[in-house]
Amino acid sequence: MVPVRAPRPSGLLRCTNSPESRHDPAVAAVHLAKAGLADQFAVYEREGVWHFAAGSAVTVTADADGIAARADGRTWTSGVGNQPLGAFAEALAALDNAACGERHFYGWAAFELAHFLHGDPAAGGTAPLLHALVPCVEVSLTSDRAVVRAFDEAWAQKVGDVLAEPSAVRVTVDEVTPAEAEGIIAAGTALYREVVARTVADIRAGHLEKAVLSRKVPLPAGPRTDFAASYLAGRRANTPARSYLLDLGGRRAAGFSPETVLEVREDGRLSTQPFAGTRALGTDPTENERRRTELLTDPKEIHEHAVSGRLACDEMDTVCRPGSVVVEEFMTVKPRGSVQHLASRVTGRLRSGAGPWDAFASLFPAITATGVSKRAALGVLARYEEGPRGLYGGAVFRGSTDGSLDAALVLRTLLGEGDDVWLRAGAGVTGQSLPEREIEETCEKLRSVAPHLRYADG
């Protein structure tokens, strides 16, 4: 076990709310993110609450070679073998001790972790696979209050001062034009057409049932993309299950996740949301209803969703009490920004001895970002996709040492690492797929993000 011990927080402190936080918690969260309070931060929206976290009280990072945990200016390292998730979970479990009490953590899991869980570890690469932050300060924002949990009065005062300031978030300057957005969306479609055709051939040959093929869309050189302003503009135009804005462990992201990989409550209730099957969602109610009806009756979309839901139940069965797994929703239609999806929810109760990271190991990566079977789909993605996915198709999460864990699927997201910034979108390919339709689907999904890009001044 990595002997991580975090400093004890001072407890809950209530800050006087600024007008912005009273009326728009998203604006307050973005204002905190832009304040430069620390070198790492995360914003995670869940069910009407925006959580902001900053400062590196403890960080834990895992890659194929080992795990590193840092706290109080000290670093501990250990090997992981072929089990980076297990070592990572063990390090986080060390936070749950009497000296520390309940703690929240924020982090991400790269898609390449999937190769260690379900595929060939040699394909996992050398980049970090998991990263988590235990923050120095955490703020929970709703429409009528801001609650601060800080290590000391100094951190609480910093946050209070920022919340008392007028918001300086700008969302109407240096916007991407509609023509520019459509140019971004259309990039790389010719190569995608080819790999969809190859995957359909693989499926018809019996190698797998489904693969979620994605295409990377690098953003053009030029103005520096403003992740915070892009997040706020995009959030106003989207209807996500979760949203997030982060600069964490060398990765940047601003996204509007359509579904969760998993939700684990402290009482052991587990759920997952497979979304598969897509049609565009626009401004014309009549056309939206026509597409909704088409979605509910299209054999390809129904088959794609059904195989995803079946595998979700199978994966839940491996970590849940016998007889507890049920499909609470099946093939409803959910609006998600520029698209509408067929959606289901599968729930269960964790079996005795199983914890949130056992559930994560079974359900990650989401079926709806991988395919069926996962192992076969991983092989197809490794052969046909351009480079590693990184955060795309992975997860951004918020958890607690009380056993709860909430992980959002990283889709509909602006991504950045170093000087590179890009979008990515995919479509579920089955034996019935037509390349042109799958290209159209990726374009529909990219419209959840591309039109809302904002650029920093200068």
Side-chain angles (χ1 to χ4, degrees):
M1 179 179 292
V2 180
V4 182
R5 294 293 183 267
R8 183 180 178 86
S10 63
L12 288 174
L13 302 169
R14 297 184 186 277
C15 289
T16 302
N17 293 330
S18 67
E20 287 82 4
S21 68
R22 280 200 301 271
H23 297 294
D24 192 337
V27 170
V30 169
H31 189 46
L32 286 165
K34 291 176 73 73
L37 294 171
D39 61 342
Q40 296 192 71
F41 73 85
V43 173
Y44 191 84
E45 177 202 356
R46 177 186 179 186
E47 297 172 351
V49 181
W50 273 257
H51 301 280
F52 169 81
S56 307
V58 174
T59 62
V60 181
T61 306
D63 59 25
D65 296 323
I67 189 164
R70 298 177 179 86
D72 289 334
R74 300 174 62 195
T75 299
W76 296 266
T77 60
S78 65
V80 298
N82 284 335
Q83 302 295 327
L85 179 59
F88 180 80
E90 187 175 289
L92 285 175
L95 296 171
D96 192 11
N97 62 82
C100 223
E102 178 192 339
R103 301 305 317 281
H104 291 132
F105 53 84
Y106 295 75
W108 50 256
F111 182 82
E112 283 65 41
L113 176 64
H115 295 290
F116 293 85
L117 297 173
H118 309 289
D120 177 9
T126 59
L129 301 168
L130 294 140
H131 180 81
L133 165 80
V134 178
C136 293
V137 64
E138 181 179 21
V139 187
S140 297
L141 296 150
T142 60
S143 60
D144 60 357
R145 67 174 183 169
V147 178
V148 181
R149 190 176 191 229
F151 280 168
D152 55 37
E153 293 287 344
W155 272 106
Q157 186 62 50
K158 286 181 186 179
V159 168
D161 290 346
V162 173
L163 287 173
E165 298 170 354
S167 172
V169 176
R170 301 173 67 187
V171 297
T172 58
V173 176
D174 297 322
E175 302 179 14
V176 67
T177 67
E180 289 169 339
E182 286 302 308
I184 290 168
I185 288 165
T189 55
L191 177 60
Y192 190 72
R193 182 182 295 106
E194 293 178 16
V195 297
V196 169
R198 293 176 193 168
T199 303
V200 170
D202 288 343
I203 293 170
R204 290 177 179 174
H207 301 312
L208 72 165
E209 286 190 72
K210 170 186 172 182
V212 183
L213 277 175
S214 68
R215 59 185 180 96
K216 184 176 180 179
V217 183
L219 294 185
R224 183 171 61 86
T225 306
D226 188 324
F227 276 68
S230 297
Y231 167 79
L232 191 57
R235 179 60 187 85
R236 288 171 173 167
N238 275 276
T239 48
R242 301 288 187 269
S243 73
Y244 41 81
L245 171 68
L246 59 88
D247 189 339
L248 200 61
R251 306 282 178 91
R252 288 168 290 152
F256 321 102
S257 174
E259 62 189 273
T260 55
V261 180
L262 79 166
E263 302 161 48
V264 185
R265 296 194 316 208
E266 62 273 13
D267 64 1
R269 184 182 187 271
L270 169 65
S271 71
T272 187
Q273 291 181 295
F275 279 35
T278 306
R279 284 294 184 274
L281 184 66
T283 58
D284 183 340
T286 301
E287 180 63 12
N288 288 337
E289 183 59 29
R290 185 194 69 77
R291 290 169 177 160
R292 180 181 184 277
T293 300
E294 184 180 84
L295 181 58
L296 286 165
T297 56
D298 186 294
K300 182 268 178 183
E301 305 290 354
I302 293 171
H303 175 255
E304 179 188 347
H305 187 86
V307 296
S308 299
R310 183 194 69 208
L311 185 54
C313 290
D314 292 344
E315 292 178 340
M316 293 276 285
D317 277 333
T318 65
V319 291
C320 288
R321 299 175 191 172
S324 70
V325 175
V326 297
V327 179
E328 290 192 352
E329 291 182 89
F330 181 66
M331 229 169 67
T332 60
V333 178
K334 299 280 189 181
R336 290 292 186 260
S338 61
V339 295
Q340 48 191 324
H341 288 298
L342 293 178
S344 292
R345 180 180 288 275
V346 184
T347 66
R349 291 278 175 178
L350 286 175
R351 57 175 167 76
S352 177
W357 293 108
D358 298 300
F360 192 90
S362 182
L363 290 164
F364 183 89
I367 301 155
T368 48
T370 314
V372 183
S373 69
K374 277 187 179 178
R375 185 179 182 87
L378 287 170
V380 166
L381 302 184
R383 288 196 301 274
Y384 296 151
E385 287 193 341
E386 178 187 357
R389 285 184 169 187
L391 284 191
Y392 177 83
V396 170
F397 54 78
R398 178 180 187 264
S400 171
T401 54
D402 68 2
S404 61
L405 180 64
D406 194 89
L409 174 58
V410 179
L411 302 176
R412 320 295 144 75
T413 297
L414 172 66
L415 297 159
E417 188 173 352
D419 294 330
D420 295 329
V421 181
W422 65 94
L423 305 176
R424 197 159 190 152
V429 178
T430 71
Q432 300 160 295
S433 288
L434 300 174
E436 291 302 325
R437 170 55 200 152
E438 305 306 351
I439 289 171
E440 181 183 13
E441 182 172 322
T442 63
C443 293
E444 291 166 355
K445 292 171 177 176
L446 288 166
R447 291 189 183 101
S448 290
V449 183
H452 315 298
L453 295 174
R454 301 292 184 265
Y455 299 117
D457 291 336

